[in-house]
Amino acid sequence: MTPPTLPIVRDEHQPALAIAAAGRQLPTPPVWFMRQAGRSLPEYRALRAEHAMLDACFDADLITEITMQPVRRHNVDAAILFSDIVVPLKAIGVDLDIVPGRGPVVAAPVRTRADVDRLRDLEAEDVAPVLEAIGAIRGQLRPDQALIGFAGAPFTLASYLIEGGPSRTYTHTKALMYGDPELWHALLDRLAHISGRYLELQVAAGAQLVQLFDSWAGALNRPDYVDLVQPHSRTALGYATSVPRIHFGVGTGELLEEIGAAGATCVGIDFRVDMRDAVRRVGGTYAVQGNLDPALLFAPWPAIEQRVRAIVDAGRGARGHVFNLGHGVLPETDPDVLTRVVELVHSLEGAA
Ligand code: CP3
């Protein structure tokens, strides 16, 4: 297993969330929510009524405003850049759209060598509004609040490109992965450099840590993940070694060690894994992030409080803990409950 590089914790002026994600235990765990910027917020829905999703992702003012909305409302310890995993693909000319209620849809699925060769490198000019927004967001955040940059991991990006849209079975993706490993590796290598470069550009512009989303990697068993996917995620994360790196996928309970060993400093734990097991398995080597079930936020407060406390207790056993959900905020979530969870986590002080 490749040990993670943790060069970052020396700087005491880093925001708490960057310190925790780099692998240091803090008295109070910092907290943010995956998909905190989005449809759970009325102020987001009002803005999006006037702008299509991808238009918003290429408008510096809208990116800045939508990124800051949940920070102002919930007092979370980090902003996550408002963007989407398909933004760098759109930026290099892939014909795709984000369809409400469905997700990214690609006009011409990528399935041949010629399709792969058309995926060119990402340059700063391609994502100029994103990089401009990062500067503006840093200007609005307090010094103790972090800005998280992110990208989609090669496997998850490949699944959208090959299927042409969201999938539950990944049939075309797996047919190509098992049937033509050479083309598969060529595609994932292209995507790794695009994804990695996107992370690198965000860090250069001011992102203080990054998260690599391999949302659908849980569709793979461990040996296939190790042979066919992990080397490419490692390439992508290799572009961001100057900052802490969170690596997350849904349903990756079988893969936690490998998710960490891909070059992360912090392993994202989804809600299907007992946090104590996760800490036992990877918490000695990496920080952990997670893992409240997003659906639990619909339960009465005492049930939520009990689970939040249990996760914070379990997280104290790891090298560092970032409190989060085990996947994204569901659109119907009451935002006041999210605010209350932040207040609760911030009130829980323990020994560092
Ligand atoms: O607050 C944040 O977390 C930052 C913003 C963010 C978005 N997408 C905005 C968005 C992030 C980090 C993402 C990442 C993303 N996008 C992932 C990885 C995270 C995960 O959920 O596992 C994936 C798989 C995608 C692809 C994607 N984009 C999906 C599946 C969807 C949902 C489709 C739907 O309508 O239900 C999107 C659209 C999307 N991305 C929205 C937002 C706020 C909703 C768009 C809208 O307002 O209609």
Side-chain angles (χ1 to χ4, degrees):
M1 194 154 76
T2 327
T5 42
L6 301 169
I8 323 98
V9 284
R10 284 191 303 273
D11 185 351
E12 297 298 332
H13 302 294
Q14 292 278 342
L17 203 133
I19 294 171
R24 187 186 295 179
Q25 191 57 236
L26 298 175
T28 300
V31 48
W32 70 285
F33 302 112
M34 290 186 273
R35 290 282 175 93
Q36 64 190 19
R39 283 170 296 186
S40 66
L41 301 184
E43 56 272 35
Y44 171 82
R45 292 196 298 267
L47 264 186
R48 275 295 321 289
E50 295 164 35
H51 306 275
M53 175 69 189
L54 274 174
D55 292 346
C57 289
F58 285 92
D59 180 312
D61 291 340
L62 287 172
I63 296 169
T64 306
E65 171 56 22
I66 297 174
T67 300
M68 289 305 297
Q69 284 178 345
V71 180
R72 289 196 291 258
R73 186 188 259 268
H74 301 310
N75 192 30
V76 276
D77 295 296
I80 179 153
L81 183 71
F82 174 75
S83 188
D84 194 86
I85 57 168
V86 295
V87 162
L89 301 177
K90 179 81 182 175
I92 60 162
V94 176
D95 185 359
L96 61 84
D97 198 6
I98 298 180
V99 179
R102 190 149 178 246
V105 175
V106 179
V110 171
R111 295 187 189 164
T112 66
R113 183 79 220 194
D115 296 337
V116 173
D117 290 341
R118 272 194 293 275
L119 298 170
R120 67 161 173 85
D121 284 336
L122 180 75
E123 305 296 346
E125 308 85 83
D126 301 320
V127 287
V130 177
L131 305 180
E132 184 191 333
I134 289 174
I137 295 161
R138 280 295 302 277
Q140 293 188 23
L141 289 170
R142 298 192 309 254
D144 60 303
Q145 294 170 323
L147 175 59
I148 305 172
F150 77 91
F155 175 80
T156 293
L157 292 178
S159 78
Y160 285 107
L161 287 178
I162 298 168
E163 303 293 334
S167 170
R168 281 191 296 120
T169 50
Y170 310 100
T171 45
H172 297 287
T173 308
K174 288 184 176 179
L176 197 151
M177 185 176 88
Y178 294 121
D180 192 344
E182 202 183 315
L183 182 59
W184 172 259
H185 282 297
L187 171 60
L188 264 74
D189 182 63
R190 282 277 64 226
L191 294 172
H193 288 287
I194 292 165
S195 194
R197 178 88 175 117
Y198 191 42
L199 294 177
E200 182 180 58
L201 289 168
Q202 291 174 66
V203 170
Q208 292 147 302
L209 70 158
V210 296
Q211 175 155 330
L212 189 69
F213 283 95
D214 208 351
S215 299
W216 314 138
L220 301 170
N221 64 39
R222 186 188 286 249
D224 287 342
Y225 177 78
V226 168
D227 290 346
L228 297 162
V229 171
Q230 192 192 38
H232 304 292
S233 299
R234 185 176 288 122
T235 300
L237 284 167
Y239 277 83
T241 49
S242 62
V243 293
R245 300 169 299 284
I246 306 167
H247 193 191
F248 169 78
V250 183
T252 48
E254 290 283 332
L255 306 174
L256 292 186
E257 294 81 359
E258 307 302 344
I259 293 278
T265 60
C266 179
V267 177
I269 312 295
D270 94 341
F271 57 88
R272 293 168 186 83
V273 179
D274 178 348
M275 194 61 156
R276 287 166 302 185
D277 285 341
V279 168
R280 237 187 326 271
R281 286 170 55 194
V282 295
T285 314
Y286 309 98
V288 293
Q289 171 179 278
N291 79 333
L292 194 77
D293 187 340
L296 189 81
L297 299 173
F298 296 77
W301 178 253
I304 300 173
E305 175 167 0
Q306 186 205 345
R307 298 297 177 117
V308 169
R309 286 178 180 274
I311 289 168
V312 170
D313 279 346
R316 295 206 193 281
R319 251 181 106 148
H321 177 213
V322 174
F323 189 92
N324 204 321
L325 304 180
H327 195 195
V329 174
L330 296 165
E332 309 79 19
T333 307
D334 176 354
D336 291 343
V337 175
L338 292 170
T339 308
R340 207 168 163 189
V341 169
V342 174
E343 285 167 2
L344 174 60
V345 173
H346 283 166
S347 75
L348 299 176
E349 218 171 297

